Each structure stands twice: as C-alpha cells, then as structure tokens.
C-alpha cells in the first residue's frame, strides 16, 4: 500500500489506482464525470481537479486532475484547497451553460449524477442568460430514449458502447463547437448492451424507454434485490415497484457476477410481469374462479391421490422442493427433456468430479487465453460475452506495463496496445458476434467442433486420446490453440448446452483437464439454458420422459405442472396426448401458454417480482431474489399455492412451512447439496428489518390521498428481512439484502462506491451468493475416450441446429412489450449454395420436416453455415419443443419434402 496525504491526513491507498479512485475508495466526496471504474480515465471533463504538492515544504502546488494522477507513495494533495474548489465549481458552471435545467421533467431527475455533482460543488444559479445550444433527438428503438440537450460531453457513452462493449453504431459527431452523441441516423441501437447507457451516462441523455411508458419518480420506487431470470448467468438486479406494478430493473452490483452491467434482455425483459398474458386469478376449466373455489378444487384433486409433479428450471429451488415434497420424491420429475437433463448432468459431473473449477464472471474477465467451444455467447449468455470482450485485453496489457503505463490510463493503454489481442479462439456452428475480437475462428457441425476440442486436448497432453483423420489445417489449428492456452497464466475453456451436444461438452472438459494435467490452473465455464437449470439438475435426475411413462402407467392420476410450458419441452403431439391421458391437470404459472390452456385448474404463480426464492447459476452459485411488490390479485408464490392446496386436502405435513425460512430449512435438512441454502441471505431474526423504500419516498399517505388520508398499515413480509416500509436504510444491510444503493449526496447509481470495500472491488461484507459446486480435493478423473466421427453432410437431409437470439430465444422476455418489437420472425437459415440447390431464395418459404413435425418457414441466407447444416431460430415457434440438433428434410414450399439428392 502507498501512504498518500489528503488535506494533510495520511491515508493508505492502492498505488495501482489513480488519485480519484483512491479518494473515492477512502470515502472522500470528489466530483467526477468522465471516469468510471470499469472504463478507466481519459481526463475529458476536468471535474476532479485537486491541488497536488511536491512535498511537505511546497505550499504553492499545482492543480492536477485526480483521475490522471497515480496514487503513488508520498503523494500530497488537497481536495479542500480553495482554488481546486473554485476550479471544480467553474467546470460545473461551464457544463451547465447549455444544460436545459429540465430536472423536474427529466427521467433521470432524482437519480442523476450531474445533479449530485452540481450540489456537491455548490453550483446554485445560472450566470448565463443567452440562448442555449439545442439538438435534435433521435429514435433509438423501443428500449433507450434520447434527449441530447442534456449532454455534458463526458464521452462515457461512446467509450462504453464502442470500446468496452464492441458496438459500432453509436458515435461522437463533431461540428465546430458542437459534439453530438448518437447514431448516424435514427434507428434501433444494435448493441445487446445498449441499456447500460442509461446508467453509464451521468445525465438524462440516455434513459430507460420502457420506464417512460409507466414512469414513476425514482425516489418513489419501492425496491428489492433480485436475480435476472432470463439466462443462466444470474446477474444481480434491483427491481423497482410503484402502485403495485413493476416499473423497471437496474443493475445491482456484484463484483463476482455482473459487475456494473446488464444485458438488454435482463434489463428490459421485466415487462413480461405486466404482460396482457399474465394470469392473475385462478382458472377452472378455462373460466375465472375465486381463490376459495380454486383451493377447494385443488384439495379435492389432491385427496384423490395418484399425483405426479413436474418441476421447472425457471422456478425457484424452494417451489421445486415444495412440489417434490407434496407429491413424494419418487413422483417428482425434472420438467426438461432427457437430452437436456443429460447435458446438465454431464456438466455438473464434470465440475464436481474433475479438476477444473467453474469461474466467476469476474474470473472470466481476467482470463488471458480463452477457448470457446460451441457457444454463441452474445445471444446465450450475454454478460459473459461482455466479460470476454475485456479478457482479450489481459495479455496485451503487458505491452502497456512494459511502457510503465498504468492500467487505468485508458486512452494511453489503447494507444500502446493498438489492435493487439490476447488469444480468444471461437469454434461454433455459425458466426458469432464475438468473432470480431477472436484470434481464431472455426465453424463446423457440433461433432466436428468436438473433434477439434479433443484434438486440442491431445495437443496439450499426448496421453489424452488422439483424433484420427483430421485435416492438416485442423491439426495446425488445434496445435495453435493448445499452445495459446498453455501460454496463458489464467486459461479458460467455455462451452455449454447450446449445441445440445454431449461430445462438445466432453471435449471442452477434456481441454480443461489436459491443461490442469499440464500444471495450469485452468477454469471451465459452462453456460446453462435457464435461470435455475443447475438448481433443478442438482435436485432431480429424472427427466420428462420418465414422467410421461409414469403417467402412461397411471392414466387416471393427476399431473401438477410447476411454472413450465411442456409444449416447449417435447413434441406438441406427444405432450398433448399425455395431458389428455390424465384425469386432472393442475398448472401453476405466470403467463398463459399451451399447457395452461390444457389444464383443468390454473393458479396464478408469482414471478420473481412477487416471490422470494433461490436460483443456482451456471457457476454453481446459489443466489436469492426477493419480493418487490404485493399483488392485489390472487397471485402468490408457487410454494404457497402448494402449501395451501395441501392444507385444503387435509394433509398436515407441508403445513409446517409457515414461512419461506421454514421451507429453506426443511430443504437444507432433506437434501445435503442444499445444506447452505438458508445462509444465502440472512433472516429477519439475524439482521432486523431493511427498508425497501428509500428515505426520500413520498409515502403511502401521499400515494393514496385520493382515497383516504389515513395511512394504511404496510403489508407484512413474513418471508424475509426486507420490509415494505422506510424502516432502515440500505447502509446497514448485508450485501445480499441491499435493495438499492444510496448514500447522502449520492442519489445516482454511482452511490455503489459507498458500498464497496474499494471502488470497483467486492462489496463490503462479501459479494452475494454461495457456491454449491467445487472440484473434489482428491482427484480420480479420467479422460473421455470416445471421439465422435467426423460429420458428413447427408444426401437426404440437413443437420438442423439452433440459432440463438438475445431477443426471442428466451421464453419470458419475449412477452415484454419493448423486447417483443425486436424479436425476429421465425426462419430457416441456409448456406446460399445449398439454397440454390434447393431452388429457394432469401425471403421465400421452405417446407421443413423434422422429428415428425412439418412446417413452413421463411428462408434466410447465411454464408457462415457449414455445408449440410441449416439453422432454426431457437425458441421461436414452430421450433419450440423440437429437440435439436436433428436431421430435417427441406423442400421449396408448394412441393413435398424431398431427398437432398433429388433437390
Ligand atoms: S450523452 Fe451522456 S455519456 Fe454521452 S457524452 Fe453526453 S453526458 Fe456523457
Ligand atoms: S446476461 Fe443473462 S442473467 Fe445477465 S442480465 Fe443478461 S439475461 Fe440476465
Ligand atoms: S473525472 Fe477526472 S477529468 Fe473527468
């Protein structure tokens, strides 16, 4: 540590940081705009001026920008120096000359970094009475709003969008004394991370366009810590509610997981909670029913016995456990296909029995040699893709280090490094958006991807099985990838379930294991399809087909389906006939779907916003989300419906769960793997009450004054330490229970600075979440010995693989109003040469025949697809329910599906 003197006070600082970073970490209030802990320093705004003294004798000193000056040992500065104070006030005065001062109508108002810094510098009145510079705003799509007049030219937006996130359609346009931050023309922002502009921009230029549709003042939002449910990464979020409806999602900093950023699916997908398809009251045979009628029916059905339960990878551990307990361990089944459960089980076995550890996303970012096998990360696990965009800077950072350029001096580092990139090799069935930063790419069918992986493992460790029949080019590529991985200090292999290939997953493990055997501490990260895929696979090893078999054995029984549309899990005809084959179907879910349509009884299940629960992410980290709103409908947590149903049936066992804590305790006692779940977040008994409402909240009296001026009693929350009130602020909350970041004088998202052990580092008290998966201490693993045969295009069919889309491939977020406008039309993607063989052109219809289903789709041409491989938009109808990859037959529409040779 370095000793630095701030206004004559000796303080310990990290010498690798700049003075602004160090001062903020030490708790000083020093204003800034252009610096961001994730983006580094460029010295653009001149807001962080301090006076620096040469030594103790120097009384004159000089003004320096704190963000551009290292926190070197012995540095002496003054923040309170009158000239520094005056300089900072003058900078704000200059920035505010053209600012519209429209805080009362600005969506950023009350949560604005510019407001905070203006107050911090003491600027109160405008000393400029001439006309202001104005700009035309742009339409940037349904997610982000643009109001350019509020810009203070800090450059953060373009630095984030272009340099950090790799986008190209947002830029700074200069003309004389004007700078315009926007697109070259109106249009939807192309980056999957565009929503972060809302938090990165220190003013109200970029704001949340979805919040605008149902705006509430930021200080009037009731908030709760939450976990994103739209992919398997488990990014931490803060959900905001007003008047009983969910208004927005913002990032909740977790150093280990998502850091400062979310993807657009995670930020804007929340609108599904208020979708028109939301189920808010029970339905009995498709007709509205009261809660009493629903529970009476549920109780009667349960008393008949013969009940089978189907769980869900998008439901919490607790709701799955409640159903498992209600129906009995041997009558509960994971609600996913055999193939998917097999892939998840393989990944879990690899991570629990092999030597390679699953890394946190922070560790992913700090990897310096990466091999991605079979994944389109930007569309499947977006924040991992964003982290990998930073990882390619790790190795070239040594160029800057040799020139003695500190890491935080962003522009200088970029100048020194130029286009140098650390090794990132991507092998995938089609081109991915990360390919632009890859040092090597390979596109092939899943079996060929696996062969490359096995060849890389053999090149690292010759005792790993050899791959025969590889082309010389592929042998060379395997050797190069092996050498790049061996050259890294922190090599990483990424794979997952996207290719739906067991061989690809095994090949990825083989590479990581070979690295471990070669003495490297290799990390192995798998993506998982849904928010609790690993949680469900840890709980239950029997797939949907076994449930179907059990139903066939007991056609007179009852089926309870938990938060799961079975038509997404298997062929429609199979699912439909099975649902017809049981006497009663009871479904607990949020949105109307084909399974709820087929149910006798549907009960409205709480989403993440109306429930508490635990999810296990792809790292194996168990994380808790908390209820943010109390519905005034019959919506409640699935586990509560199950408990009340069993009480209505006259069963006693489950009635002991009076609260969520009782349920997690019962789960921990019953299943060793979940023994630590009660500790994922402390209980109310342990920490007292923590307010969901900020201390500037307008209050319930004001909210309901049109009805009554008597303040109603706030709802009770028997399930968590969070209270629906203003009881005690977030400062005293343990990290897993922080509903929002706020500190006196810091109303914007930058208030998170006050909650970190050092700015940009872990939260004080440790980052939320407990890992459930670790490599064993004693190693007894063995290499996989089966290498798949090379893929050969078939004469009578195409290998159909899923093509993922950040908007559309996930079940819930595509019901969000904003996102629904960005979902592509279903299509079949073909290589242009193969399309011409079939006699179809882009935009024309083609007949697809696969796995007993036949449908017509629009043709899209993609030259990046390997020969003999065609792509289908994952998750979109009519592909949902079809297990891919699968061999399909194709024919131009209006002709019968024909053999490939004949085509
Ligand atoms: S738009 Fe926002 S982030 Fe971009 S330069 Fe202007 S104030 Fe800074
Ligand atoms: S990366 Fe996944 S978990 Fe994170 S915000 Fe996006 S959809 Fe949510
Ligand atoms: S924050 Fe230091 S110059 Fe902008």
């Amino acid at each position: 540590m370095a000793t630095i003197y701030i206004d004559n006070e000796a303080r310990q600082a990290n010498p690798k940081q700049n003075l602004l970073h160090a001062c903020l970490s030490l708790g000083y209030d020093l204003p800034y705009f252009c610096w961001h802990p994730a983006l580094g320093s460029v010295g653009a705004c001149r807001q962080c001026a301090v006076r620096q003294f040469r030594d103790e004798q120097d009384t004159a000193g000089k003004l320096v920008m704190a963000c551009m000056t290292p926190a070197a040992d012995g540095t002496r500065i003054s923040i309170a120096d009158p000239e520094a104070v005056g300089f900072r006030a003058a900078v704000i005065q200059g920035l505010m000359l053209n600012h519209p001062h429209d805080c009362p109508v600005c969506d950023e108002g009350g949560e604005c970094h510019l407001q905070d810094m203006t107050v911090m510098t003491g600027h109160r009145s405008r000393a400029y009475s001439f006309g202001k510079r104005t700009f035309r705003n742009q339409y940037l799509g349904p997610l982000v709003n643009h109001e350019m007049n509020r810009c203070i030219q800090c450059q953060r937006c373009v630095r984030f969008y272009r340099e950090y996130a790799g986008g190209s359609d947002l830029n700074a346009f200069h003309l004389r004394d004007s700078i315009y931050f926007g697109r070259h023309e109106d249009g939807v922002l192309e980056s999957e991370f565009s929503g972060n502009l809302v938090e990165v921009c220190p003013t109200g230029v970029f704001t949340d366009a979805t919040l605008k549709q149902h705006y509430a003042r930021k200080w009037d939002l009731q908030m709760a810590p939450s976990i994103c449910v739209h992919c398997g990464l488990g990014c931490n979020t803060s959900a905001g509610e007003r008047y009983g409806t969910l208004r927005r999602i913002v990032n909740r900093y977790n150093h280990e997981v998502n850091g400062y950023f979310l993807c657009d699916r995670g930020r804007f997908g929340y609108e599904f909670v208020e979708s028109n398809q939301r189920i808010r009251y029970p339905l009995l045979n498709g007709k509205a029913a009261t809660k009493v009628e629903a529970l009476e029916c549920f109780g009667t059905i349960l008393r008949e016995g013969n009940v089978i339960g189907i769980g869900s990878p998008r439901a919490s551990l607790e709701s799955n456990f409640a159903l498992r307990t209600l129906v009995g361990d041997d009558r509960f089944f994971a609600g996913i296909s055999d193939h998917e459960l097999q892939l998840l089980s393989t990944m879990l076995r690899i991570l629990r029995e092999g030597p390679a550890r699953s890394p946190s996303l922070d560790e992913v970012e700090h990897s310096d040699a990466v091999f991605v096998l079979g994944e389109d990360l930007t569309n499947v696990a977006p924040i991992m893709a964003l982290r990998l965009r930073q990882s390619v800077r790790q190795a070239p950072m040594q160029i800057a280090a040799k020139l003695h350029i500190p890491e935080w001096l962003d522009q200088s580092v970029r100048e020194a490094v130029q286009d140098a990139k650390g090794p990132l090799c991507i092998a995938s069935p089609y081109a991915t958006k990360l390919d632009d930063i890859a040092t090597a790419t390979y596109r092939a069918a899943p079996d060929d991807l696996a062969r490359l992986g096995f060849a890389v493992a053999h090149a690292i460790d010759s005792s790993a099985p050899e791959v025969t029949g590889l082309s010389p080019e592929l042998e060379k590529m395997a050797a190069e990838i092996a050498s790049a991985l061996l050259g890294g200090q922190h090599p990483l292999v990424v794979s997952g379930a996207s290719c739906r290939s067991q061989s690809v997953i095994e090949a990825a493990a083989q590479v990581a294991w070979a690295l471990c055997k070669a003495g490297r501490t290799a990390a192995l990260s798998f993506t998982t399809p849904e928010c609790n895929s690993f949680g469900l696979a840890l709980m239950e090893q029997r797939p949907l087909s076994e449930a179907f078999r059990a139903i066939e054995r007991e056609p007179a029984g009852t089926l309870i389906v938990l938060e799961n549309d079975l038509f997404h899990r298997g062929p429609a005809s199979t699912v439909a006939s099975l649902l017809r084959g049981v006497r009663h179907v009871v479904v607990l879910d949020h949105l109307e779907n084909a399974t709820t349509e087929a149910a006798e009884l549907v009960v409205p299940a709480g989403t993440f916003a109306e429930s508490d629960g635990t999810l296990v992410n792809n790292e194996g980290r168990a994380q808790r989300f908390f209820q943010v709103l109390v519905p005034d409908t019959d919506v409640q947590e699935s586990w509560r419906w199950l408990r009340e149903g069993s009480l209505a049936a006259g069963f006693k066992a489950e009635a002991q769960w009076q609260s969520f804590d009782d349920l997690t305790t019962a789960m921990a006692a019953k299943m060793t793997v979940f023994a630590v779940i009660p500790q994922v977040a402390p209980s109310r008994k342990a920490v007292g009450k923590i307010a969901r409402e900020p201390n500037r909240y307008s209050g319930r009296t004001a909210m309901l004054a049109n009805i009554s001026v008597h303040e109603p009693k706030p709802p009770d929350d028997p399930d968590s330490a969070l209270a629906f009130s203003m009881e005690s602020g977030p400062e005293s909350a343990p990290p897993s229970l922080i509903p929002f970041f706020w500190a006196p004088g810091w109303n914007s998202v930058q208030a998170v600075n006050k909650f970190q052990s050092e700015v940009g580092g872990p939260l004080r008290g440790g980052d939320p979440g407990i890992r459930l998966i670790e490599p064993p201490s004693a190693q007894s693993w063995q290499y996989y010995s089966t290498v798949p045969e090379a893929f050969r295009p078939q004469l009578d069919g195409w290998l159909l693989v899923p093509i993922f889309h950040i908007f559309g491939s996930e079940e819930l977020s595509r019901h969000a109003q904003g996102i629904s406008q960005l979902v592509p039309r279903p299509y079949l993607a073909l290589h242009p040469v193969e399309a011409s063989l079939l006699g179809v052109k882009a935009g024309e219809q083609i007949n697809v025949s696969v796995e007993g289903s036949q449908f017509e789709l629009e043709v899209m041409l993609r030259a990046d697809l390997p020969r003999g491989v065609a792509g289908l938009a994952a998750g979109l109808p009519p592909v949902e329910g079809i297990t891919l990859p699968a061999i399909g037959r194709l024919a131009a529409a209006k002709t019968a599906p024909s053999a490939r040779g004949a085509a």
Side-chain angles (χ1 to χ4, degrees):
M1 294 298 270
T3 302
I4 62 171
Y5 299 86
I6 305 173
D7 288 314
N8 294 321
E9 205 182 331
R11 304 298 305 262
Q12 296 301 301
N14 181 347
K16 289 191 175 155
Q17 295 177 353
N18 59 65
L19 283 172
L20 171 63
H21 195 165
C23 288
L24 294 170
S25 293
L26 290 166
Y28 289 89
D29 286 346
L30 181 56
Y32 63 96
F33 288 117
C34 63
W35 179 79
H36 186 289
L39 305 178
S41 308
V42 287
C45 71
R46 322 312 279 171
Q47 188 56 68
C48 63
V50 293
R51 184 176 290 278
Q52 183 180 17
F53 303 96
R54 204 173 46 249
D55 51 33
E56 224 171 332
Q57 280 69 48
D58 180 10
T59 52
K62 61 176 180 184
L63 286 187
V64 296
M65 295 307 125
C67 73
M68 299 297 280
T69 313
D73 197 37
T75 303
R76 291 179 166 272
I77 56 166
S78 171
I79 295 174
D81 170 75
E83 201 184 334
V85 171
F87 185 94
R88 297 196 298 261
V91 170
I92 283 275
Q93 174 81 313
L95 292 177
M96 297 304 280
L97 288 185
N98 283 297
H99 192 77
H101 289 72
D102 59 344
C103 303
V105 296
C106 175
D107 286 6
E108 191 83 352
E111 199 183 55
C112 175
H113 188 61
L114 177 60
Q115 274 181 338
D116 287 350
M117 299 300 103
T118 304
V119 173
M120 197 179 283
T121 50
H123 173 74
R124 281 189 184 79
S125 54
R126 218 165 84 89
Y128 179 75
S129 53
F130 303 101
K132 295 178 188 180
R133 182 193 55 208
T134 57
F135 297 95
R136 178 184 164 275
N137 300 320
Q138 289 184 317
Y139 169 75
L140 298 177
L143 306 180
V144 177
N145 209 52
H146 193 222
E147 173 53 66
M148 236 323 271
N149 291 338
R150 299 175 184 144
C151 178
I152 56 164
Q153 296 88 40
C154 73
Q155 310 269 347
R156 267 191 187 187
C157 53
V158 283
R159 291 180 58 220
F160 168 77
Y161 197 93
R162 299 178 72 86
E163 291 166 3
Y164 194 91
S168 58
D169 63 319
L170 184 90
N171 220 331
F173 300 92
H174 299 238
L175 180 66
R176 294 193 295 274
D177 63 343
S178 285
I179 310 182
Y180 188 86
F181 295 86
R183 297 185 82 249
H184 68 288
E185 60 182 12
D186 284 24
V188 181
L189 286 169
E190 289 165 10
S191 169
E192 294 76 9
F193 307 102
S194 68
N196 292 297
L197 294 174
V198 171
E199 294 188 32
V200 164
C201 175
T203 84
V205 176
F206 298 104
T207 52
D208 181 339
T210 65
L211 172 63
K212 210 173 189 60
Q213 305 303 317
H214 37 242
Y215 188 73
R217 293 176 298 184
K218 311 294 176 67
W219 60 92
D220 279 341
L221 290 172
Q222 181 162 256
M223 288 168 269
S226 197
I227 302 295
C228 177
V229 295
H230 301 298
C231 87
L233 296 187
C235 293
N236 291 201
T237 60
S238 177
E241 174 269 3
R242 182 69 168 165
Y243 291 120
T245 58
L246 187 62
R247 302 302 175 104
R248 69 159 184 183
I249 289 288
V250 290
N251 181 65
R252 180 167 60 98
Y253 181 87
N254 182 325
H255 179 66
E256 294 283 320
V257 184
N258 46 303
Y260 288 92
F261 306 115
L262 297 177
C263 78
D264 288 357
R265 185 201 277 175
R267 185 181 297 274
F268 302 112
Y270 75 93
E271 285 187 298
F272 86 88
V273 173
E274 305 297 341
S275 142
N276 291 339
Q277 277 159 287
R278 192 67 207 279
I279 303 163
R280 299 188 188 276
Y281 295 97
L283 295 167
L284 249 176
N285 295 313
K287 298 210 171 59
T290 63
K291 187 174 176 185
V292 172
E293 289 166 342
L295 285 174
E296 204 175 298
C297 169
F298 199 2
T300 309
I301 290 174
L302 287 176
R303 272 197 301 276
E304 285 181 23
N306 264 1
V307 184
I308 280 175
I310 293 184
S312 169
R314 62 170 163 86
S316 67
L317 284 181
E318 290 78 8
S319 288
N320 276 300
F321 177 72
L323 179 56
R324 192 177 204 259
T325 309
L326 173 63
V327 300
D329 297 355
D330 55 338
R331 304 177 69 83
F332 177 79
F333 301 88
I336 47 181
S337 70
D338 299 37
H339 188 54
E340 184 173 332
L341 189 57
Q342 188 193 350
L343 298 179
L344 288 168
S345 304
T346 304
M347 292 193 270
L348 281 174
R349 197 171 51 249
I350 287 167
L351 295 176
R352 296 168 101 191
E353 295 174 9
R357 186 173 178 272
S358 69
S360 69
L361 286 176
D362 180 57
E363 289 166 319
V364 166
E365 176 165 336
H366 289 93
S367 308
D368 54 3
V370 183
F371 181 30
V372 178
L373 192 60
E375 289 293 310
D376 171 5
L377 291 174
T378 311
N379 286 301
V380 170
I383 287 295
M384 191 187 289
L386 190 64
R387 293 281 199 167
L388 282 185
R389 282 199 174 272
Q390 318 319 311
S391 79
V392 295
R393 301 186 67 210
Q394 296 299 321
M397 212 50 107
Q398 286 160 16
I399 302 171
K402 276 195 196 127
L403 296 168
H404 303 293
I405 301 172
E407 270 185 37
W408 47 263
L409 204 50
D410 192 57
Q411 212 51 45
S412 306
V413 169
R414 289 183 192 276
E415 287 290 330
V417 165
Q418 295 285 322
D419 291 333
K421 292 188 283 269
L424 168 63
C425 313
I426 302 178
S428 53
Y430 54 90
T432 76
K433 254 194 140 175
L434 270 186
D435 291 2
D436 65 328
I437 52 160
T439 43
T441 57
Y442 173 59
R443 289 165 203 149
D447 280 351
D448 288 344
L449 299 177
R451 285 169 62 79
L452 174 68
F454 283 116
V456 172
H458 178 74
I460 292 168
D461 174 13
S462 57
S463 70
E466 196 177 354
V467 181
T468 52
L470 279 187
S471 67
E473 298 79 43
L474 223 48
E475 294 244 13
K476 183 164 171 276
M477 177 178 265
E480 283 168 359
I481 295 173
S483 135
L485 291 171
L486 282 167
Q489 300 286 319
H490 306 285
L492 166 69
V493 182
V494 180
S495 190
S498 302
C499 275
R500 317 281 201 250
S501 162
Q502 179 87 4
S503 304
V504 166
I505 289 169
E506 290 174 358
Q510 195 100 321
V511 177
W513 292 351
L515 285 165
C516 291
K517 193 146 176 248
R520 305 299 189 278
T521 45
L524 175 60
S525 186
F526 289 121
T527 67
T528 50
E530 288 168 76
C531 61
N532 201 22
S533 292
F534 264 176
L536 183 68
L538 283 169
M539 183 176 286
E540 184 51 54
Q541 290 295 308
R542 286 173 309 158
L544 206 50
S545 67
E546 290 200 30
F548 288 173
R549 276 198 288 280
I551 291 166
E552 276 163 7
R553 284 196 300 272
E554 294 174 15
T558 291
L559 177 65
I560 303 180
V561 183
L562 172 71
E563 299 179 34
N564 205 337
D565 181 3
L566 299 184
F567 289 88
H568 279 261
R569 310 292 177 184
S573 52
T574 316
V575 173
S577 75
L578 280 157
L579 291 178
R580 280 196 300 274
V582 284
R583 183 183 288 175
H584 308 288
V585 178
V586 179
V587 177
L588 304 92
D589 216 338
H590 328 304
L591 301 174
E592 291 163 5
N593 56 44
T595 307
T596 61
E597 259 172 46
E600 175 183 341
L601 172 64
V602 180
V603 295
T607 64
F608 71 91
E610 295 118 346
S611 318
D612 298 339
T614 311
L615 305 173
V616 183
N617 78 352
N618 74 314
E619 181 198 347
R621 179 182 292 258
Q623 305 188 99
R624 183 76 40 85
F625 60 90
F626 295 92
Q627 182 172 10
V628 68
L629 60 91
V630 181
D632 55 5
T633 60
D634 290 340
V635 170
Q636 61 176 357
E637 303 89 334
S638 290
W639 67 264
R640 222 171 217 120
W641 276 114
L642 294 167
R643 174 178 176 272
E644 291 177 6
S646 78
L647 282 174
F651 303 159
K652 289 280 174 283
E654 291 76 45
Q656 59 188 305
W657 306 330
Q658 298 296 336
S659 70
F660 183 78
D661 285 347
D662 295 341
L663 185 54
T664 54
T665 308
M667 183 167 64
K670 176 98 190 276
M671 306 187 81
T672 325
V673 64
F674 299 130
V676 295
I677 295 301
Q679 292 149 39
V680 170
S683 67
R684 176 170 294 187
K685 232 183 266 169
V687 294
K689 286 188 185 177
I690 293 155
R692 285 177 171 91
E693 295 165 359
N695 58 1
R696 299 178 297 152
Y697 196 73
S698 296
R700 288 174 299 279
T701 312
M703 279 173 74
L704 303 172
N706 58 330
I707 302 164
S708 166
V709 291
H710 298 286
E711 182 165 316
K713 181 179 176 296
D716 280 332
D717 183 352
D719 295 328
S720 79
L722 293 159
F724 292 101
S725 70
M726 301 160 69
E727 309 241 353
S728 82
E731 309 90 292
S732 55
S736 53
L737 286 165
I738 298 172
F740 51 89
F741 297 109
W742 181 87
W746 294 79
N747 301 296
S748 79
V749 289
Q750 321 276 329
V752 67
N753 291 351
K754 302 287 183 189
F755 291 77
Q756 294 158 321
S757 53
E758 62 170 359
V759 172
L763 289 171
R764 275 201 299 276
D767 291 303
I770 298 180
R771 283 172 60 98
L772 304 183
I773 304 170
E774 295 293 350
S777 41
Q779 303 288 346
S780 59
W781 58 275
Q782 283 187 334
Y783 282 126
Y784 288 106
S785 54
T786 312
V787 177
E789 291 294 313
F791 171 72
R792 293 199 199 297
Q794 298 197 5
L795 281 177
D796 59 349
W798 276 257
L799 182 71
L800 302 180
V801 298
I803 294 184
F804 292 87
H805 291 272
I806 187 168
F807 304 132
S809 295
E810 193 266 333
E811 189 184 348
L812 299 176
S813 57
R814 63 169 178 261
H815 295 279
Q817 206 194 356
I819 283 181
S820 65
Q821 298 169 51
L822 303 173
V823 172
R825 286 203 303 268
Y827 63 83
L828 177 110
L830 264 181
H831 192 282
V833 173
E834 308 218 316
S836 79
L837 279 174
L838 277 166
V840 288
K841 298 197 179 78
E844 291 181 354
Q845 295 290 304
I846 191 161
N847 274 324
V848 183
S849 171
V850 56
E851 301 269 295
S853 304
Q854 283 197 24
F855 40 84
E856 263 188 26
L857 283 173
E858 189 175 318
V859 173
M860 176 193 280
L861 299 184
R862 282 190 69 145
D864 52 315
L865 280 169
R867 293 301 180 82
V869 175
L872 289 167
L876 294 179
V879 175
E880 53 199 357
I882 295 173
T883 301
L884 298 177
I887 296 294
R889 298 174 75 196
L890 309 176
K894 297 199 183 79
T895 59
S898 63
R900 180 180 162 81

